[in-house]
Amino acid sequence: MTTDKVKHERIVTDLNEAIMDLGNVECEQVPDIFYPEDFSGSILMREMAIKTAREICLRCPVIAKCLKAGMYEEYGIWGGTTPEQRKRLKREQII
C-alpha cells in the first residue's frame, strides 16, 4: 500500500470516528446533493445543490476533517469545497 493511500485511510477513519461520536451529520440526510455532478440536465439544479451542500457544510462540526478527506476525492462536495476548489488548494498547497 502506498504512503498516500495509508494516509488517506487514516484521515477517512478519523472523519468516520468523529461522525460516529456526534451520532450523525446533516449531510447523511441528503447525500445526493453532495454529488452535483450526478445531476443531469439543469445547470441551475447543480448550482442549487452546490449552494445547499456548502450551507450544510458550514454548519458542520467536522468540516475540517471532511475537507482533509476530500483532498483525495475527485468528485463531490467535501468540507464545503467543490472539486475545482480542492484542485486549486492543492496547487497552491494551502492544505
Side-chain angles (χ1 to χ4, degrees):
M1 207 179 291
T2 66
T3 305
D4 273 352
K5 187 164 178 80
V6 170
K7 184 177 178 182
H8 181 232
E9 285 180 5
R10 276 192 215 128
I11 290 168
V12 170
T13 298
D14 188 38
L15 172 62
N16 288 332
E17 287 174 357
I19 291 169
M20 285 174 39
D21 288 345
L22 289 169
N24 66 15
V25 286
E26 196 174 348
C27 61
E28 293 177 326
Q29 307 304 312
V30 286
D32 293 349
I33 66 168
F34 288 85
Y35 291 92
E37 41 290 288
D38 292 344
F39 283 70
S40 59
S42 171
I43 291 173
L44 181 60
M45 288 286 286
R46 269 186 244 134
E47 289 174 358
M48 287 176 62
I50 291 168
K51 181 181 184 293
T52 303
R54 293 183 76 194
E55 287 171 356
I56 291 170
C57 289
L58 291 174
R59 295 189 295 265
C60 185
V62 297
I63 187 172
K65 291 176 190 261
C66 185
L67 175 56
K68 222 172 170 182
M71 295 305 287
Y72 294 86
E73 301 293 338
E74 291 183 47
Y75 303 101
I77 305 298
W78 290 83
T81 62
T82 63
E84 294 78 21
Q85 291 168 325
R86 291 192 301 277
K87 286 177 191 170
R88 183 178 48 87
L89 291 171
K90 284 181 190 176
R91 272 195 314 270
E92 295 172 5
Q93 294 185 332
I94 292 173
I95 295 195

